[in-house]
Amino acid sequence: MTPEQLQDVVRTAVAAVAGRGELPVDVPAEVVIDRPKNPEHGDYATNAAMRLAKPAGRPPREVAELLAAELRAQPGIAAVDVAGPGFLNITLAQGVLGQLAVQAVTAGPGYGRTDVLAGQQLNLEFVSANPTGPVHIGAVRWAAVGDALGRLLEASGAAVTREYYFNDAGSQIDRFARSLQAAAQGRPVPEDGYAGAYIDDIAAQVVAAEPDVLDRGDDEQLAVFRARGVELMWVEIRTSLADFGVAFDVYFSERTLHETGALEKAIARLREQGHVYETDGAVWLRTTDFGDDKDRVLVKGDGEPTYFAADCAYYLNKRERGFGKVVIMLGADHTGYVGRYKALVAAMGDDPDENLEILIGQLVNLVREGQPVRMSKRAGNVVNLGDLVDAIGADAARYALARASIDQQIDLDLDLWSRQTNDNPVFYVQYAHARIASVLRNAADLGLALGEPEDVDVAQLAHERETDLLRVIGEFPRVLASAAELRAPHRVARSLEELAGTYHRFYDSCRVLPRGDELPTSLTTARLWVCAATATVLRNGLAVLGVQAPERM
RNA sequence: GCCCCCGUAGCUCAGGGGAUAGAGCACUGCCCUCCGGAGGCAGGGGCGCAGGUUCGAAUCCUGCCGGGGGCACCA
């Protein structure tokens, strides 16, 4: 019985008691099922009685006693105790927990998937680095977290489109082109331009592809450097993301918004809604009507649209593509962005709390031997995605970035995460998987197989370390569902660390395979199922994080 | 000045109102004739401060202190 199923049992019990008129309450949509830390508090606990006490107008313990009596009659439940202020501590019948191992193994890659977000059409935008340089370390966090979040949302039943928005219309691209041109001509890059070895590399590649480029007129040169340069930059960006295990469904060009008249359309829509005015020759959106601290310019005095105008058009475009929820992941340096974005959504006539979600994540610092790593290309230090993967590997990088709450600044210690030791959390988790794989290999060598689910005697699984492990396995679907709803992929990583630790303790106390000339028993088979179930959860959890689950290390 | 994030064990961090606040690392002392010791067991130590809401607050609200980030007719 999973905690979700137990939740239904408790609700059924409430309904039964209420139906007999013993308790004047409605059946709650959700009841909280806890996994108590203290083993004396049973396999599971619920605070349902305390929550129902007030609406029922009865003391919590009295409500608890009514529910306990009802629950004791339910199949699969061995004992129910009323404790403390009114907790219901539930002990499951022998073998009920063991079924969790069978459920996990038979569900395989599907174990943990739920439909809590079914029907939601989500557009998830992250990274969105401009093609004027490699993906900088600051954006790598969003590559790791965003991709994990995408997988998590899908595992919870949502339809997710991962989107990468890039600016290829404005002056940044022009500066990029001029920087390439200067590098090709052997001049220093402009003061407001881009510098770095990659500029020289790309400039050289452009010249190699079009040897006569420098003989043409200035405008024509810039056009070539812009087009070829962006193309080459894209190759590098997409290659580094692919090496990191991240792929997008849509790469969205800002330029297309300008070319298709989407900006004018968006401004017209905002005008219809009555939030646009003109002052000093510029066109403004009155975002202060919706809580922003100042109004924002849509079209500058020189007639050029702002980046914000493109944002308006882009948002409208996403909504027109059918996305009910527009999710955008940004770094803490974009905090000031939230107010105006919420306001533009409201000005469009949408609900900023329903249709828009901006996830702001704190910044990443690199640390080596306790000292901050200065992120300068000249010093040869790590500055971008490819460098980070070279330094610690894609698995460690993804795990390190995804295991922290996005609200927390990260000091990413390159020594720690490149170490192949147990103080490196990703190795702790991967090791557990490799260890199980080894046990299962040894079992196969002994001619032992899991066999059919109906032949496993799961009631054999009664050791405390076994039931601890089974409870963690049973928790997994809830972990994924709540992590998805909270947009918190780090919870998955933390739960895998708990699972790995719980498995190691099980392994230490519960011999799985027969030793010497012992014969296998039904307990051997049952424990093999527990091992396989643990491996399944580790694999599925690591898959959400985009991290390998190795058979050997 | 205004806005956002953070402050929990020596360190790095989990803890979306519930029982005795957890993990990893570090430290001390233990555990292998046996499935991977990259493991396990035991021990010491903690919610920045002050109010408030609640039967119950690390969690929600307010103020203060400390650290980080942000406040363009830039992109």
Side-chain angles (χ1 to χ4, degrees):
Chain A
M1 187 181 325
T2 64
E4 297 93 313
Q5 291 165 330
L6 182 57
Q7 178 178 324
D8 288 338
V9 172
V10 173
R11 294 180 66 236
T12 304
V14 174
V17 175
R20 289 198 299 270
E22 295 171 23
L23 210 56
V25 293
D26 296 329
V27 179
E30 293 205 341
V31 299
V32 178
I33 302 292
D34 265 337
R35 184 164 53 100
K37 286 164 291 224
N38 186 338
E40 289 168 19
H41 294 160
D43 292 314
Y44 293 103
T46 179
N47 64 0
M50 293 185 292
R51 303 295 290 266
L52 291 171
K54 186 166 278 184
R58 306 271 290 273
R61 287 196 61 110
E62 220 170 275
V63 177
E65 291 295 352
L66 283 171
L67 292 178
E70 189 64 31
L71 281 169
R72 287 186 192 109
Q74 301 288 330
I77 290 179
V80 181
D81 292 325
V82 176
F87 288 103
L88 288 165
N89 292 335
I90 300 167
T91 303
L92 299 179
Q94 185 69 259
V96 171
L97 273 176
Q99 280 301 328
L100 290 169
V102 175
Q103 286 184 31
V105 173
T106 49
Y111 184 66
R113 299 185 69 92
T114 65
D115 57 3
V116 293
L117 301 182
Q120 294 199 18
Q121 301 282 323
L122 284 145
N123 183 286
L124 182 59
E125 183 197 333
F126 56 106
V127 182
S128 293
N130 286 340
T132 54
V135 180
H136 187 265
I137 189 73
V140 177
R141 181 171 194 173
W142 312 126
V145 176
D147 187 61
L149 180 57
R151 295 168 196 241
L152 191 50
L153 295 168
E154 284 168 344
S156 304
V160 179
T161 295
R162 293 142 216 259
E163 195 145 321
Y164 187 122
Y165 179 60
F166 60 97
N167 170 311
D168 55 349
S171 60
Q172 289 203 20
I173 289 288
D174 292 334
R175 292 210 297 271
F176 176 62
R178 273 197 288 276
S179 302
L180 292 175
Q181 181 194 35
Q185 293 173 344
R187 292 187 287 111
V189 296
E191 222 165 81
D192 62 351
Y194 295 87
Y198 77 96
I199 290 289
D200 296 327
D201 290 346
I202 289 176
Q205 287 184 63
V206 173
V207 173
E210 299 212 19
D212 62 342
V213 61
L214 293 175
D215 303 328
R216 305 184 200 169
D218 193 58
D219 284 352
E220 214 176 318
Q221 282 192 27
L222 284 172
V224 169
F225 280 109
R226 184 184 296 113
R228 293 254 182 197
V230 166
E231 197 181 311
L232 289 163
M233 208 63 250
W234 266 122
V235 172
E236 179 167 342
I237 289 172
R238 293 170 82 144
T239 302
S240 64
L241 285 168
D243 291 345
F244 199 54
V246 176
F248 289 85
D249 302 304
V250 175
Y251 289 85
F252 197 99
S253 152
E254 183 199 344
R255 189 162 42 82
T256 61
L257 292 171
H258 294 264
E259 290 171 355
T260 58
L263 271 72
E264 290 77 5
K265 189 172 140 191
I267 293 170
R269 160 95 173 238
L270 292 167
R271 205 185 290 274
E272 281 166 28
Q273 301 277 325
H275 307 299
V276 173
Y277 65 94
E278 294 180 27
T279 299
D280 303 332
V283 179
W284 296 72
L285 181 65
R286 192 174 283 111
T287 54
T288 49
D289 284 352
F290 305 100
D292 197 8
D293 24 12
K294 62 182 75 165
D295 289 342
R296 305 290 167 176
V297 173
L298 291 166
V299 183
K300 295 188 271 187
D302 63 5
E304 287 297 310
T306 61
Y307 194 78
F308 181 63
D311 284 338
C312 295
Y314 186 34
Y315 172 77
L316 190 58
N317 173 285
K318 283 176 176 169
R319 293 285 285 127
E320 285 173 345
R321 279 186 281 148
F323 296 108
K325 225 177 238 305
V326 171
V327 184
I328 307 174
M329 304 191 71
L330 296 170
D333 51 342
H334 284 74
T335 309
Y337 213 64
V338 178
R340 81 191 68 163
Y341 219 109
K342 291 254 175 208
L344 92 77
V345 170
M348 289 281 183
D350 278 351
D351 178 356
D353 295 324
E354 171 60 30
N355 303 113
L356 178 71
E357 243 176 80
I358 298 186
L359 305 176
I360 295 288
Q362 301 303 307
L363 303 179
V364 179
N365 295 305
L366 295 180
V367 174
R368 180 175 271 145
E369 286 163 8
Q371 298 301 310
V373 175
R374 290 187 54 201
M375 294 188 251
S376 108
K377 189 79 184 181
R378 218 167 296 131
N381 285 323
V382 171
V383 290
N384 64 43
L385 172 52
D387 298 331
L388 181 64
V389 170
D390 290 344
I392 65 176
D395 277 353
R398 290 194 64 136
Y399 194 91
L401 293 167
R403 89 185 275 272
S405 155
I406 63 166
D407 290 334
Q408 193 78 33
Q409 287 184 42
I410 296 181
D411 287 330
L412 184 61
D413 188 322
L414 297 173
D415 299 306
L416 169 66
W417 289 97
S418 53
R419 224 174 279 153
Q420 313 261 315
T421 58
N422 55 351
D423 52 354
N424 179 346
V426 71
F427 279 91
Y428 186 79
V429 173
Q430 288 182 316
Y431 173 71
H433 185 265
R435 196 181 209 187
I436 296 169
S438 173
V439 171
L440 295 175
R441 276 195 301 273
N442 293 342
D445 289 345
L446 293 170
L448 302 175
L450 294 178
E452 296 304 315
E454 56 271 21
D455 298 334
V456 198
D457 185 5
V458 289
Q460 296 278 329
L461 300 169
H463 192 284
E464 187 184 337
R465 296 289 176 80
E466 289 167 339
T467 53
D468 285 347
L469 185 53
L470 289 164
R471 275 191 294 268
V472 179
I473 290 167
E475 208 65 19
F476 187 63
R478 293 203 299 175
V479 168
L480 289 192
S482 66
E485 286 170 329
L486 293 170
R487 320 292 191 234
H490 76 279
R491 285 175 171 245
V492 178
R494 302 297 176 148
S495 78
L496 294 181
E497 289 167 29
E498 183 192 9
L499 177 61
T502 309
Y503 179 79
H504 290 314
R505 283 184 281 282
F506 155 80
Y507 180 90
D508 199 61
S509 304
C510 300
R511 173 81 197 186
V512 178
L513 298 176
R515 59 187 112 186
D517 47 9
E518 290 174 359
L519 292 174
T521 65
S522 57
L523 179 60
T524 305
T525 307
R527 284 181 171 169
L528 282 173
W529 278 80
V530 173
C531 288
T534 306
T536 299
V537 174
L538 288 170
R539 266 196 302 278
N540 295 357
L542 287 170
V544 164
L545 301 173
V547 175
Q548 301 291 319
E551 299 289 314
R552 290 188 170 81
M553 294 174 70

